[in-house]
Amino acid sequence: MKELKTFVITCLLLLPVIGWGQSEFTRRVSAEEMGYRGKVQAVQRTEFCTDEDNKFFVTTAEAYNEQGLRTDMSIIDNIYQTNYHYEYDGSGQLVYYVATFSDGEKDSIVFHYNNDGCLSGYEEYMLSADPTEGNSVTDFIVTCDTQCRVLMCASVWYDTMRYDYDSTGRILSMTGHGLPDKIKTFHYDKNGRLERVRMGAQYYEDAHYRYNVQGDTIETWQTNWERFEKEKGAHEVGEHKYFSYTEYDDHGNWKKADVRVVENRKPYVYHVVRTITYYE
């Protein structure tokens, strides 16, 4: 449950601009995938809302090496903090990843590669903060295509996941073997950016993304296609967000944004400030 919660928070704070990639299951994240322009060294992002009914303050800090790969990330939400650390070999392959949560629990992963440099498997260690609960380790077997894209990931404890790609290497679908409700399909706009993610099979929900001419996200929302009595078509669920960018730096990365949130309750606005440093 910890891993799922962290994934949701990370998506909220660090919505990629280009689209979903291998990082969703390999944990290897690049500055390019995150939509950063230039040779980024570090990014600090603060999101805050002063609205009386929706107050929050969240800070995220990221560090990247000179090859453009994320080495550390920290998310602070009120009194809670989650830290992530990434280690690579001389070829830029991620060999070790660890997430440390505020309560002391750790999610630690060791990755293995074959002679072609493709991911062949990994061990995930869940280290409990409570000594009475004990720790756990799960082995995963991974198969890749000739371009080292993950085709299947399987363990004895979890569902086998299969992945399909288009001719350019973008992910098209994720399927849990024997579990149609775990199907995800990915759809892209004419510029190759992620436009829609569909989750489910017989009943499904769509997550939508829209961008400005610079390629930055300007709108996100979700629609639910589950049919209720006398309903037709999709209906919107969750928060509909509109992003407005008020300042950019010399590299083309935005520095300040206002986000208008519309839901069933009263609309409100929160603000985002980013500070980015570069190697050059």
Side-chain angles (χ1 to χ4, degrees), residues 43-66:
V43 181
Q44 180 166 306
R45 171 174 175 155
T46 300
E47 303 193 17
F48 61 95
C49 181
T50 57
D51 183 87
E52 190 62 34
D53 296 325
N54 301 282
K55 282 186 177 180
F56 67 85
F57 191 94
V58 181
T59 297
T60 301
E62 298 176 272
Y64 291 85
N65 61 22
E66 293 196 62

Side-chain angles (χ1 to χ4, degrees), residues 78-98:
N78 295 320
I79 63 173
Y80 300 102
Q81 179 170 343
T82 305
N83 297 320
Y84 304 85
H85 178 65
Y86 309 74
E87 292 184 6
Y88 304 87
D89 62 17
S91 301
Q93 299 280 24
L94 180 63
V95 294
Y96 178 69
Y97 158 91
V98 60

Side-chain angles (χ1 to χ4, degrees), residues 19-257:
W20 289 29
Q22 293 272 305
S23 60
E24 185 186 357
F25 32 91
T26 65
R27 307 299 203 283
R28 186 178 185 271
V29 180
S30 69
E32 181 183 15
E33 183 182 352
M34 293 308 303
Y36 299 136
R37 304 166 181 106
K39 201 170 182 180
V40 170
Q41 182 178 40
V43 181
Q44 180 166 306
R45 171 174 175 155
T46 300
E47 303 193 17
F48 61 95
C49 181
T50 57
D51 183 87
E52 190 62 34
D53 296 325
N54 301 282
K55 282 186 177 180
F56 67 85
F57 191 94
V58 181
T59 297
T60 301
E62 298 176 272
Y64 291 85
N65 61 22
E66 293 196 62
Q67 288 70 49
L69 298 172
R70 184 192 286 162
T71 57
D72 292 280
M73 184 171 73
S74 178
I75 300 175
I76 302 174
D77 182 1
N78 295 320
I79 63 173
Y80 300 102
Q81 179 170 343
T82 305
N83 297 320
Y84 304 85
H85 178 65
Y86 309 74
E87 292 184 6
Y88 304 87
D89 62 17
S91 301
Q93 299 280 24
L94 180 63
V95 294
Y96 178 69
Y97 158 91
V98 60
T100 305
F101 303 95
S102 291
D103 60 5
E105 289 191 8
K106 291 186 178 183
D107 179 13
S108 180
I109 303 177
V110 178
F111 298 90
H112 305 285
Y113 301 85
N114 61 24
N115 293 334
D116 296 322
C118 299
L119 184 64
S120 59
Y122 58 90
E123 295 98 37
E124 183 168 17
Y125 301 84
M126 298 299 296
L127 308 178
S128 175
D130 186 347
T132 64
E133 290 185 358
N135 304 318
S136 66
V137 59
T138 304
D139 291 319
F140 292 82
I141 298 174
V142 176
T143 58
C144 296
D145 63 14
T146 56
Q147 297 179 337
C148 290
R149 295 177 300 210
V150 175
L151 295 176
M152 185 185 72
C153 182
S155 80
V156 296
W157 302 113
Y158 297 97
D159 306 319
T160 297
M161 295 300 298
R162 301 181 186 277
Y163 309 91
D164 291 308
Y165 307 86
D166 65 14
S167 58
T168 65
R170 297 175 304 194
I171 188 168
L172 290 178
S173 67
M174 297 170 51
T175 308
H177 180 65
L179 297 171
D181 58 311
K182 289 198 173 183
I183 291 176
K184 282 186 182 179
T185 58
F186 303 82
H187 308 265
Y188 302 88
D189 63 20
K190 63 182 180 180
N191 295 310
R193 298 174 300 219
L194 183 66
E195 184 176 52
R196 177 167 55 92
V197 179
R198 172 159 288 184
M199 296 154 283
Q202 182 178 3
Y203 302 113
Y204 47 85
E205 194 168 292
D206 288 336
H208 306 266
Y209 308 92
R210 200 162 65 85
Y211 308 88
N212 61 16
V213 293
Q214 291 96 332
D216 296 317
T217 305
I218 58 171
E219 189 177 5
T220 64
W221 72 99
Q222 288 182 286
T223 51
N224 191 329
W225 289 83
E226 184 173 358
R227 294 290 192 274
F228 297 99
E229 186 177 1
K230 297 182 180 180
E231 280 194 337
K232 295 182 179 180
H235 60 279
E236 191 166 321
V237 296
E239 297 177 332
H240 196 139
K241 294 186 176 183
Y242 302 86
F243 299 76
S244 175
Y245 302 98
T246 58
E247 188 176 341
Y248 282 80
D249 68 13
D250 294 339
H251 290 79
N253 291 306
W254 60 268
K255 297 172 62 177
K256 293 182 180 180

